[in-house]
Amino acid sequence: MLDENKTLPNPENPETFTGLRLAEPADTAGGAKAVISSLKHVFGAMDAVRGLKALGRLNQFDGHDCPGCAWPDPDGHRSGIAEYCENGAKAIAEEATTKKVDAAFFARHSVAEIASWTDYEIGKSGRLCEPMYLAPGATHYAPISWEQAFEKIAGALKSLPDPNRAIFYTSGRTSNEAAFLYQLLIRRYGTNNLPDCSNMCHESSGVALNESLGIGKGSVTLEDFYETDLILILGQNPGTNHPRMLAALQKAKANGAKIISINPLKEAGLLNFSHPQQFSGMLGASTHLTDLYLQVKINGDLALLKAIALLLLEAEDKNPGSVFDQAFISEKTQGAEAYLDDLRRYNLQTLAAECGISEAQIREAAQLLIERKRVIACWAMGLTQHKNAVDTIREIVNLLLLKGSVGKPGAGTCPVRGHSNVQGDRTMGIYEKPPKAFLDNLERAFGFNPPREDGYDVVDAIKAMYEGKADVFIAMGGNFLSATPDTLYTAQALRNCSLTVQVSTKLNRSHVICGREALILPCLGRTDLDLLDGHRQFVSVENSMGVVHSSKGSLWPVSDQLLSEPVIVCRLAKALFGQDPLIDWDKYMTHYDRIREDIERSIPGFEDYNRRVRLQGGFYLPNGARIGQFKTGAGKAMFNVAAPLHTPLADDEWIMMTIRTHDQFNTTIYGLHDRYRGIYNERRVVLLNKADIEKAGFKPGDVVDLYNYHGGTERVARRFIIVEYDIPRQCAATYFPETNVLVPINSVAEKSNTPTSKMVIIKIVMSDEG
């Protein structure tokens, strides 16, 4: 049995609760409460001068990009009031805090003590200030010089019998410049072991879109939202995870668009929006967003999409050419006949039962599609973290192809990325399965033959460490342990390493669940002033819609011992390779323009990079699907045939999805409240349907333990409070990372290998300690 409380040192302090308080879930996002929350977080972390400067430069031209989500900035202009959202302000408060984690902090607190804190307590410790080293058997981190740190890492890498015994992880906040250098170092070293956070979130989107449309990115721009007729939002909670999207939805509604939201939970940000930058919004006036809300069963999306498509087919059969874009289907797609033949095998009643949506609501959704020609589909991890995620996303594309809604204004695909440069990192080559063309370009540009065999993704990397097939783990940002599945399995995997290295801005749990030796390398953040030889530098990022733009920090760093990520990579490369005859690592540390010059000659789409990235708003990368050019094997957009996945549940089982609170971004916990869902002062809760609670003999407020038995292994997350909530029958929702311990390492999405954090089968029993 895997038990979090016995294997990890009390990771979420489950013996005590913080005083759960419940309120009615909100039906409106934004408004004055969002402004008050933003200011409270920022000015609670720094003085007013620093706080106002950080907020004033956030997402502005010549300012710093938000370290939160990847929602795009408006083309050509910025708000004169504030070009950020509540959670963007919280992200700035976390990064720009003046609270310090220095050598004295580590002398006071042992590794075991820090490990006993909650993720919230660890994160609130402050900014890392100097390189730290944990020696074998040591109880406390101790200071180490940068030079000694680089020599220690280089020595460990040189001692490995095979480069594939090293693993190099990347977080989505890493800049284009740092990511490019990082993958260059790793491939120069001799491996493609480049797992990244995309493996755990939108990998399924990339696989599906590449197969269907020939590009693993979305096809729409922000302007498309203002020209569309209909927006589908599936498995996404923009009010918490991408709040600036709400302004785009508000504008789309003002222009006449309809919105269908498909989600197991009713989320405030999908219902109504009070724009906090509008006087009326501050007074409480709101825009109603969703016209039709379909509260689908967890992983019922594919059945629902197929049911809608079936009704569209029936309407098209009655009046050919009135529903489908037959010219587009004929000229631009392949596989439509096989798809439609398969679709005719289904009946509405069966599909409705599978997805949990009434036939009347499905007909209403279909009618909205029948009557409209320009459709945008948005989705996030509510779709990508299922076993059949790739097929579900391809079914979205099927629907869009039937309507001819790809490659024209006001229509297309919109996978909404969750981290500010996760898409850019992939463009830069952070990928364990690099295309041949990418490797060929590197070889031509730098004169060495990069490794050609695929490397480890996140799941395979964890397994390799667990099984003793990898010895060194290096993370460029992120909180690997708290982000990954099967927490106890992953913890043991990290502990099996001889050396773990974390390049970080703030303290996190991955610093204290580590290898036999461990290093913490503190780096500059997005908001920090970055100077090389007295010259101010900027980096660049790519947002969800393929726009590359600059990010320039302006705040004085909290410590003079912080290095930028590009400099850290270059200094490690010099320690590892010595005088490299093929790559001049020193030149990259003179000015980041030198890095961008080599990106330009290595990666298509970055022509004239240094000039174009200095333009206001940056530039768009090429996107074939956006203009109706599909770079698939057939040269056409591809329909896909797939059946819904039926997940049988026993009477005492639930299908659980992990979700974020409103006081959270990925693994960063800003606070203990989930304001929009009406849950305060507690994170260890499980949201259940009222009828399910009664049937199981529980009552709201009961303290229970959650169990998963996938693969014959018992996993348990202890002491969760039952909260009655509006959620479909036999569905449950819990917050991550607290329940990542229940997500099996071997339960992954087909083709993408993404952990299935949204479809975990659990049993619930009363806690012995309740």
Side-chain angles (χ1 to χ4, degrees), residues 375-396:
V375 183
I376 291 174
C378 309
W379 68 90
M381 287 184 285
L383 293 194
T384 65
Q385 294 179 328
H386 293 277
K387 185 175 180 62
N388 60 336
V390 171
D391 281 336
T392 298
I393 296 164
R394 292 199 66 177
E395 193 70 25
I396 294 173

mmCIF file with all atom_site columns, all heavy atoms in Angstrom, residues 375-396:
data_model
loop_
_atom_site.group_PDB
_atom_site.id
_atom_site.type_symbol
_atom_site.label_atom_id
_atom_site.label_alt_id
_atom_site.label_comp_id
_atom_site.label_asym_id
_atom_site.label_entity_id
_atom_site.label_seq_id
_atom_site.pdbx_PDB_ins_code
_atom_site.Cartn_x
_atom_site.Cartn_y
_atom_site.Cartn_z
_atom_site.occupancy
_atom_site.B_iso_or_equiv
_atom_site.pdbx_formal_charge
_atom_site.auth_seq_id
_atom_site.auth_comp_id
_atom_site.auth_asym_id
_atom_site.auth_atom_id
_atom_site.pdbx_PDB_model_num
ATOM 1   N N   . VAL A 1 375 ? -17.222 28.889 -35.851 1.00 0.00 ? 375 VAL A N   1
ATOM 2   C CA  . VAL A 1 375 ? -17.197 28.269 -34.522 1.00 0.00 ? 375 VAL A CA  1
ATOM 3   C C   . VAL A 1 375 ? -15.765 28.196 -34.016 1.00 0.00 ? 375 VAL A C   1
ATOM 4   O O   . VAL A 1 375 ? -14.849 27.798 -34.746 1.00 0.00 ? 375 VAL A O   1
ATOM 5   C CB  . VAL A 1 375 ? -17.798 26.850 -34.566 1.00 0.00 ? 375 VAL A CB  1
ATOM 6   C CG1 . VAL A 1 375 ? -17.829 26.240 -33.160 1.00 0.00 ? 375 VAL A CG1 1
ATOM 7   C CG2 . VAL A 1 375 ? -19.179 26.859 -35.195 1.00 0.00 ? 375 VAL A CG2 1
ATOM 8   N N   . ILE A 1 376 ? -15.566 28.587 -32.763 1.00 0.00 ? 376 ILE A N   1
ATOM 9   C CA  . ILE A 1 376 ? -14.291 28.409 -32.067 1.00 0.00 ? 376 ILE A CA  1
ATOM 10  C C   . ILE A 1 376 ? -14.495 27.389 -30.958 1.00 0.00 ? 376 ILE A C   1
ATOM 11  O O   . ILE A 1 376 ? -15.483 27.453 -30.229 1.00 0.00 ? 376 ILE A O   1
ATOM 12  C CB  . ILE A 1 376 ? -13.784 29.737 -31.458 1.00 0.00 ? 376 ILE A CB  1
ATOM 13  C CG1 . ILE A 1 376 ? -13.362 30.709 -32.559 1.00 0.00 ? 376 ILE A CG1 1
ATOM 14  C CG2 . ILE A 1 376 ? -12.613 29.491 -30.513 1.00 0.00 ? 376 ILE A CG2 1
ATOM 15  C CD1 . ILE A 1 376 ? -12.984 32.098 -32.034 1.00 0.00 ? 376 ILE A CD1 1
ATOM 16  N N   . ALA A 1 377 ? -13.564 26.465 -30.821 1.00 0.00 ? 377 ALA A N   1
ATOM 17  C CA  . ALA A 1 377 ? -13.597 25.503 -29.720 1.00 0.00 ? 377 ALA A CA  1
ATOM 18  C C   . ALA A 1 377 ? -12.392 25.730 -28.819 1.00 0.00 ? 377 ALA A C   1
ATOM 19  O O   . ALA A 1 377 ? -11.249 25.718 -29.283 1.00 0.00 ? 377 ALA A O   1
ATOM 20  C CB  . ALA A 1 377 ? -13.603 24.070 -30.246 1.00 0.00 ? 377 ALA A CB  1
ATOM 21  N N   . CYS A 1 378 ? -12.657 25.952 -27.531 1.00 0.00 ? 378 CYS A N   1
ATOM 22  C CA  . CYS A 1 378 ? -11.604 26.136 -26.522 1.00 0.00 ? 378 CYS A CA  1
ATOM 23  C C   . CYS A 1 378 ? -11.640 24.966 -25.548 1.00 0.00 ? 378 CYS A C   1
ATOM 24  O O   . CYS A 1 378 ? -12.717 24.471 -25.204 1.00 0.00 ? 378 CYS A O   1
ATOM 25  C CB  . CYS A 1 378 ? -11.832 27.425 -25.728 1.00 0.00 ? 378 CYS A CB  1
ATOM 26  S SG  . CYS A 1 378 ? -12.083 28.909 -26.704 1.00 0.00 ? 378 CYS A SG  1
ATOM 27  N N   . TRP A 1 379 ? -10.486 24.552 -25.086 1.00 0.00 ? 379 TRP A N   1
ATOM 28  C CA  . TRP A 1 379 ? -10.453 23.490 -24.088 1.00 0.00 ? 379 TRP A CA  1
ATOM 29  C C   . TRP A 1 379 ? -9.159  23.579 -23.286 1.00 0.00 ? 379 TRP A C   1
ATOM 30  O O   . TRP A 1 379 ? -8.212  24.247 -23.662 1.00 0.00 ? 379 TRP A O   1
ATOM 31  C CB  . TRP A 1 379 ? -10.593 22.110 -24.734 1.00 0.00 ? 379 TRP A CB  1
ATOM 32  C CG  . TRP A 1 379 ? -9.421  21.689 -25.587 1.00 0.00 ? 379 TRP A CG  1
ATOM 33  C CD1 . TRP A 1 379 ? -8.314  21.010 -25.185 1.00 0.00 ? 379 TRP A CD1 1
ATOM 34  C CD2 . TRP A 1 379 ? -9.247  21.940 -26.995 1.00 0.00 ? 379 TRP A CD2 1
ATOM 35  N NE1 . TRP A 1 379 ? -7.469  20.805 -26.252 1.00 0.00 ? 379 TRP A NE1 1
ATOM 36  C CE2 . TRP A 1 379 ? -8.021  21.372 -27.370 1.00 0.00 ? 379 TRP A CE2 1
ATOM 37  C CE3 . TRP A 1 379 ? -10.023 22.593 -27.965 1.00 0.00 ? 379 TRP A CE3 1
ATOM 38  C CZ2 . TRP A 1 379 ? -7.539  21.432 -28.679 1.00 0.00 ? 379 TRP A CZ2 1
ATOM 39  C CZ3 . TRP A 1 379 ? -9.540  22.647 -29.265 1.00 0.00 ? 379 TRP A CZ3 1
ATOM 40  C CH2 . TRP A 1 379 ? -8.316  22.076 -29.607 1.00 0.00 ? 379 TRP A CH2 1
ATOM 41  N N   . ALA A 1 380 ? -9.156  22.878 -22.167 1.00 0.00 ? 380 ALA A N   1
ATOM 42  C CA  . ALA A 1 380 ? -7.971  22.822 -21.318 1.00 0.00 ? 380 ALA A CA  1
ATOM 43  C C   . ALA A 1 380 ? -7.887  21.431 -20.699 1.00 0.00 ? 380 ALA A C   1
ATOM 44  O O   . ALA A 1 380 ? -8.353  20.456 -21.278 1.00 0.00 ? 380 ALA A O   1
ATOM 45  C CB  . ALA A 1 380 ? -8.015  23.931 -20.267 1.00 0.00 ? 380 ALA A CB  1
ATOM 46  N N   . MET A 1 381 ? -7.345  21.343 -19.497 1.00 0.00 ? 381 MET A N   1
ATOM 47  C CA  . MET A 1 381 ? -6.984  20.032 -18.953 1.00 0.00 ? 381 MET A CA  1
ATOM 48  C C   . MET A 1 381 ? -8.171  19.179 -18.546 1.00 0.00 ? 381 MET A C   1
ATOM 49  O O   . MET A 1 381 ? -8.007  17.990 -18.275 1.00 0.00 ? 381 MET A O   1
ATOM 50  C CB  . MET A 1 381 ? -6.013  20.207 -17.795 1.00 0.00 ? 381 MET A CB  1
ATOM 51  C CG  . MET A 1 381 ? -4.624  20.619 -18.273 1.00 0.00 ? 381 MET A CG  1
ATOM 52  S SD  . MET A 1 381 ? -3.397  20.719 -16.963 1.00 0.00 ? 381 MET A SD  1
ATOM 53  C CE  . MET A 1 381 ? -3.886  22.249 -16.169 1.00 0.00 ? 381 MET A CE  1
ATOM 54  N N   . GLY A 1 382 ? -9.373  19.780 -18.520 1.00 0.00 ? 382 GLY A N   1
ATOM 55  C CA  . GLY A 1 382 ? -10.552 18.956 -18.309 1.00 0.00 ? 382 GLY A CA  1
ATOM 56  C C   . GLY A 1 382 ? -10.759 17.938 -19.414 1.00 0.00 ? 382 GLY A C   1
ATOM 57  O O   . GLY A 1 382 ? -11.471 16.946 -19.237 1.00 0.00 ? 382 GLY A O   1
ATOM 58  N N   . LEU A 1 383 ? -10.111 18.162 -20.559 1.00 0.00 ? 383 LEU A N   1
ATOM 59  C CA  . LEU A 1 383 ? -10.153 17.185 -21.661 1.00 0.00 ? 383 LEU A CA  1
ATOM 60  C C   . LEU A 1 383 ? -8.849  16.423 -21.825 1.00 0.00 ? 383 LEU A C   1
ATOM 61  O O   . LEU A 1 383 ? -8.849  15.264 -22.241 1.00 0.00 ? 383 LEU A O   1
ATOM 62  C CB  . LEU A 1 383 ? -10.458 17.890 -22.991 1.00 0.00 ? 383 LEU A CB  1
ATOM 63  C CG  . LEU A 1 383 ? -11.830 18.527 -23.187 1.00 0.00 ? 383 LEU A CG  1
ATOM 64  C CD1 . LEU A 1 383 ? -12.034 18.851 -24.661 1.00 0.00 ? 383 LEU A CD1 1
ATOM 65  C CD2 . LEU A 1 383 ? -12.951 17.649 -22.685 1.00 0.00 ? 383 LEU A CD2 1
ATOM 66  N N   . THR A 1 384 ? -7.723  17.057 -21.536 1.00 0.00 ? 384 THR A N   1
ATOM 67  C CA  . THR A 1 384 ? -6.430  16.487 -21.933 1.00 0.00 ? 384 THR A CA  1
ATOM 68  C C   . THR A 1 384 ? -5.921  15.396 -21.017 1.00 0.00 ? 384 THR A C   1
ATOM 69  O O   . THR A 1 384 ? -5.009  14.657 -21.386 1.00 0.00 ? 384 THR A O   1
ATOM 70  C CB  . THR A 1 384 ? -5.355  17.593 -22.013 1.00 0.00 ? 384 THR A CB  1
ATOM 71  O OG1 . THR A 1 384 ? -5.129  18.131 -20.695 1.00 0.00 ? 384 THR A OG1 1
ATOM 72  C CG2 . THR A 1 384 ? -5.784  18.709 -22.956 1.00 0.00 ? 384 THR A CG2 1
ATOM 73  N N   . GLN A 1 385 ? -6.484  15.281 -19.800 1.00 0.00 ? 385 GLN A N   1
ATOM 74  C CA  . GLN A 1 385 ? -5.947  14.341 -18.816 1.00 0.00 ? 385 GLN A CA  1
ATOM 75  C C   . GLN A 1 385 ? -6.864  13.134 -18.620 1.00 0.00 ? 385 GLN A C   1
ATOM 76  O O   . GLN A 1 385 ? -7.147  12.718 -17.512 1.00 0.00 ? 385 GLN A O   1
ATOM 77  C CB  . GLN A 1 385 ? -5.712  15.055 -17.481 1.00 0.00 ? 385 GLN A CB  1
ATOM 78  C CG  . GLN A 1 385 ? -4.618  16.123 -17.576 1.00 0.00 ? 385 GLN A CG  1
ATOM 79  C CD  . GLN A 1 385 ? -4.399  16.862 -16.267 1.00 0.00 ? 385 GLN A CD  1
ATOM 80  O OE1 . GLN A 1 385 ? -5.319  17.056 -15.474 1.00 0.00 ? 385 GLN A OE1 1
ATOM 81  N NE2 . GLN A 1 385 ? -3.170  17.289 -16.029 1.00 0.00 ? 385 GLN A NE2 1
ATOM 82  N N   . HIS A 1 386 ? -7.324  12.588 -19.750 1.00 0.00 ? 386 HIS A N   1
ATOM 83  C CA  . HIS A 1 386 ? -8.132  11.370 -19.750 1.00 0.00 ? 386 HIS A CA  1
ATOM 84  C C   . HIS A 1 386 ? -7.458  10.322 -20.625 1.00 0.00 ? 386 HIS A C   1
ATOM 85  O O   . HIS A 1 386 ? -6.663  10.656 -21.518 1.00 0.00 ? 386 HIS A O   1
ATOM 86  C CB  . HIS A 1 386 ? -9.533  11.645 -20.298 1.00 0.00 ? 386 HIS A CB  1
ATOM 87  C CG  . HIS A 1 386 ? -10.359 12.539 -19.435 1.00 0.00 ? 386 HIS A CG  1
ATOM 88  N ND1 . HIS A 1 386 ? -11.063 12.076 -18.352 1.00 0.00 ? 386 HIS A ND1 1
ATOM 89  C CD2 . HIS A 1 386 ? -10.607 13.868 -19.500 1.00 0.00 ? 386 HIS A CD2 1
ATOM 90  C CE1 . HIS A 1 386 ? -11.702 13.076 -17.781 1.00 0.00 ? 386 HIS A CE1 1
ATOM 91  N NE2 . HIS A 1 386 ? -11.449 14.180 -18.455 1.00 0.00 ? 386 HIS A NE2 1
ATOM 92  N N   . LYS A 1 387 ? -7.802  9.083  -20.418 1.00 0.00 ? 387 LYS A N   1
ATOM 93  C CA  . LYS A 1 387 ? -7.214  8.002  -21.207 1.00 0.00 ? 387 LYS A CA  1
ATOM 94  C C   . LYS A 1 387 ? -7.472  8.198  -22.697 1.00 0.00 ? 387 LYS A C   1
ATOM 95  O O   . LYS A 1 387 ? -6.612  7.934  -23.534 1.00 0.00 ? 387 LYS A O   1
ATOM 96  C CB  . LYS A 1 387 ? -7.757  6.651  -20.730 1.00 0.00 ? 387 LYS A CB  1
ATOM 97  C CG  . LYS A 1 387 ? -7.110  5.453  -21.413 1.00 0.00 ? 387 LYS A CG  1
ATOM 98  C CD  . LYS A 1 387 ? -7.601  4.143  -20.809 1.00 0.00 ? 387 LYS A CD  1
ATOM 99  C CE  . LYS A 1 387 ? -6.954  2.937  -21.500 1.00 0.00 ? 387 LYS A CE  1
ATOM 100 N NZ  . LYS A 1 387 ? -5.485  2.924  -21.350 1.00 0.00 ? 387 LYS A NZ  1
ATOM 101 N N   . ASN A 1 388 ? -8.654  8.675  -23.042 1.00 0.00 ? 388 ASN A N   1
ATOM 102 C CA  . ASN A 1 388 ? -9.027  8.863  -24.448 1.00 0.00 ? 388 ASN A CA  1
ATOM 103 C C   . ASN A 1 388 ? -8.960  10.337 -24.858 1.00 0.00 ? 388 ASN A C   1
ATOM 104 O O   . ASN A 1 388 ? -9.693  10.785 -25.736 1.00 0.00 ? 388 ASN A O   1
ATOM 105 C CB  . ASN A 1 388 ? -10.429 8.320  -24.698 1.00 0.00 ? 388 ASN A CB  1
ATOM 106 C CG  . ASN A 1 388 ? -11.483 9.016  -23.842 1.00 0.00 ? 388 ASN A CG  1
ATOM 107 O OD1 . ASN A 1 388 ? -11.178 9.560  -22.781 1.00 0.00 ? 388 ASN A OD1 1
ATOM 108 N ND2 . ASN A 1 388 ? -12.724 8.993  -24.296 1.00 0.00 ? 388 ASN A ND2 1
ATOM 109 N N   . ALA A 1 389 ? -8.074  11.105 -24.220 1.00 0.00 ? 389 ALA A N   1
ATOM 110 C CA  . ALA A 1 389 ? -7.999  12.552 -24.457 1.00 0.00 ? 389 ALA A CA  1
ATOM 111 C C   . ALA A 1 389 ? -7.739  12.891 -25.918 1.00 0.00 ? 389 ALA A C   1
ATOM 112 O O   . ALA A 1 389 ? -8.358  13.802 -26.473 1.00 0.00 ? 389 ALA A O   1
ATOM 113 C CB  . ALA A 1 389 ? -6.902  13.166 -23.578 1.00 0.00 ? 389 ALA A CB  1
ATOM 114 N N   . VAL A 1 390 ? -6.838  12.170 -26.563 1.00 0.00 ? 390 VAL A N   1
ATOM 115 C CA  . VAL A 1 390 ? -6.497  12.483 -27.954 1.00 0.00 ? 390 VAL A CA  1
ATOM 116 C C   . VAL A 1 390 ? -7.714  12.296 -28.845 1.00 0.00 ? 390 VAL A C   1
ATOM 117 O O   . VAL A 1 390 ? -8.020  13.134 -29.704 1.00 0.00 ? 390 VAL A O   1
ATOM 118 C CB  . VAL A 1 390 ? -5.312  11.618 -28.434 1.00 0.00 ? 390 VAL A CB  1
ATOM 119 C CG1 . VAL A 1 390 ? -5.088  11.778 -29.940 1.00 0.00 ? 390 VAL A CG1 1
ATOM 120 C CG2 . VAL A 1 390 ? -4.029  11.998 -27.676 1.00 0.00 ? 390 VAL A CG2 1
ATOM 121 N N   . ASP A 1 391 ? -8.455  11.212 -28.642 1.00 0.00 ? 391 ASP A N   1
ATOM 122 C CA  . ASP A 1 391 ? -9.659  10.986 -29.441 1.00 0.00 ? 391 ASP A CA  1
ATOM 123 C C   . ASP A 1 391 ? -10.724 12.051 -29.175 1.00 0.00 ? 391 ASP A C   1
ATOM 124 O O   . ASP A 1 391 ? -11.433 12.475 -30.092 1.00 0.00 ? 391 ASP A O   1
ATOM 125 C CB  . ASP A 1 391 ? -10.240 9.601  -29.155 1.00 0.00 ? 391 ASP A CB  1
ATOM 126 C CG  . ASP A 1 391 ? -9.495  8.498  -29.894 1.00 0.00 ? 391 ASP A CG  1
ATOM 127 O OD1 . ASP A 1 391 ? -8.867  8.799  -30.925 1.00 0.00 ? 391 ASP A OD1 1
ATOM 128 O OD2 . ASP A 1 391 ? -9.540  7.340  -29.433 1.00 0.00 ? 391 ASP A OD2 1
ATOM 129 N N   . THR A 1 392 ? -10.862 12.482 -27.916 1.00 0.00 ? 392 THR A N   1
ATOM 130 C CA  . THR A 1 392 ? -11.844 13.518 -27.607 1.00 0.00 ? 392 THR A CA  1
ATOM 131 C C   . THR A 1 392 ? -11.507 14.823 -28.322 1.00 0.00 ? 392 THR A C   1
ATOM 132 O O   . THR A 1 392 ? -12.389 15.484 -28.900 1.00 0.00 ? 392 THR A O   1
ATOM 133 C CB  . THR A 1 392 ? -11.916 13.758 -26.088 1.00 0.00 ? 392 THR A CB  1
ATOM 134 O OG1 . THR A 1 392 ? -12.342 12.547 -25.447 1.00 0.00 ? 392 THR A OG1 1
ATOM 135 C CG2 . THR A 1 392 ? -12.897 14.863 -25.756 1.00 0.00 ? 392 THR A CG2 1
ATOM 136 N N   . ILE A 1 393 ? -10.237 15.201 -28.296 1.00 0.00 ? 393 ILE A N   1
ATOM 137 C CA  . ILE A 1 393 ? -9.835  16.442 -28.969 1.00 0.00 ? 393 ILE A CA  1
ATOM 138 C C   . ILE A 1 393 ? -9.982  16.313 -30.480 1.00 0.00 ? 393 ILE A C   1
ATOM 139 O O   . ILE A 1 393 ? -10.414 17.254 -31.163 1.00 0.00 ? 393 ILE A O   1
ATOM 140 C CB  . ILE A 1 393 ? -8.392  16.812 -28.566 1.00 0.00 ? 393 ILE A CB  1
ATOM 141 C CG1 . ILE A 1 393 ? -8.348  17.115 -27.058 1.00 0.00 ? 393 ILE A CG1 1
ATOM 142 C CG2 . ILE A 1 393 ? -7.888  18.015 -29.362 1.00 0.00 ? 393 ILE A CG2 1
ATOM 143 C CD1 . ILE A 1 393 ? -6.975  17.121 -26.464 1.00 0.00 ? 393 ILE A CD1 1
ATOM 144 N N   . ARG A 1 394 ? -9.688  15.167 -31.005 1.00 0.00 ? 394 ARG A N   1
ATOM 145 C CA  . ARG A 1 394 ? -9.887  14.963 -32.442 1.00 0.00 ? 394 ARG A CA  1
ATOM 146 C C   . ARG A 1 394 ? -11.372 14.994 -32.798 1.00 0.00 ? 394 ARG A C   1
ATOM 147 O O   . ARG A 1 394 ? -11.734 15.375 -33.920 1.00 0.00 ? 394 ARG A O   1
ATOM 148 C CB  . ARG A 1 394 ? -9.239  13.647 -32.891 1.00 0.00 ? 394 ARG A CB  1
ATOM 149 C CG  . ARG A 1 394 ? -7.708  13.680 -32.810 1.00 0.00 ? 394 ARG A CG  1
ATOM 150 C CD  . ARG A 1 394 ? -7.045  12.617 -33.659 1.00 0.00 ? 394 ARG A CD  1
ATOM 151 N NE  . ARG A 1 394 ? -7.267  12.851 -35.086 1.00 0.00 ? 394 ARG A NE  1
ATOM 152 C CZ  . ARG A 1 394 ? -6.757  12.102 -36.052 1.00 0.00 ? 394 ARG A CZ  1
ATOM 153 N NH1 . ARG A 1 394 ? -5.999  11.052 -35.736 1.00 0.00 ? 394 ARG A NH1 1
ATOM 154 N NH2 . ARG A 1 394 ? -7.002  12.360 -37.310 1.00 0.00 ? 394 ARG A NH2 1
ATOM 155 N N   . GLU A 1 395 ? -12.247 14.624 -31.863 1.00 0.00 ? 395 GLU A N   1
ATOM 156 C CA  . GLU A 1 395 ? -13.679 14.719 -32.115 1.00 0.00 ? 395 GLU A CA  1
ATOM 157 C C   . GLU A 1 395 ? -14.112 16.186 -32.177 1.00 0.00 ? 395 GLU A C   1
ATOM 158 O O   . GLU A 1 395 ? -15.013 16.548 -32.948 1.00 0.00 ? 395 GLU A O   1
ATOM 159 C CB  . GLU A 1 395 ? -14.470 13.976 -31.034 1.00 0.00 ? 395 GLU A CB  1
ATOM 160 C CG  . GLU A 1 395 ? -15.923 13.757 -31.370 1.00 0.00 ? 395 GLU A CG  1
ATOM 161 C CD  . GLU A 1 395 ? -16.125 12.740 -32.499 1.00 0.00 ? 395 GLU A CD  1
ATOM 162 O OE1 . GLU A 1 395 ? -15.249 11.873 -32.708 1.00 0.00 ? 395 GLU A OE1 1
ATOM 163 O OE2 . GLU A 1 395 ? -17.172 12.822 -33.175 1.00 0.00 ? 395 GLU A OE2 1
ATOM 164 N N   . ILE A 1 396 ? -13.483 17.028 -31.361 1.00 0.00 ? 396 ILE A N   1
ATOM 165 C CA  . ILE A 1 396 ? -13.723 18.473 -31.481 1.00 0.00 ? 396 ILE A CA  1
ATOM 166 C C   . ILE A 1 396 ? -13.369 18.937 -32.883 1.00 0.00 ? 396 ILE A C   1
ATOM 167 O O   . ILE A 1 396 ? -14.116 19.684 -33.526 1.00 0.00 ? 396 ILE A O   1
ATOM 168 C CB  . ILE A 1 396 ? -12.894 19.252 -30.445 1.00 0.00 ? 396 ILE A CB  1
ATOM 169 C CG1 . ILE A 1 396 ? -13.358 18.941 -29.027 1.00 0.00 ? 396 ILE A CG1 1
ATOM 170 C CG2 . ILE A 1 396 ? -12.980 20.753 -30.709 1.00 0.00 ? 396 ILE A CG2 1
ATOM 171 C CD1 . ILE A 1 396 ? -12.469 19.555 -27.956 1.00 0.00 ? 396 ILE A CD1 1
#
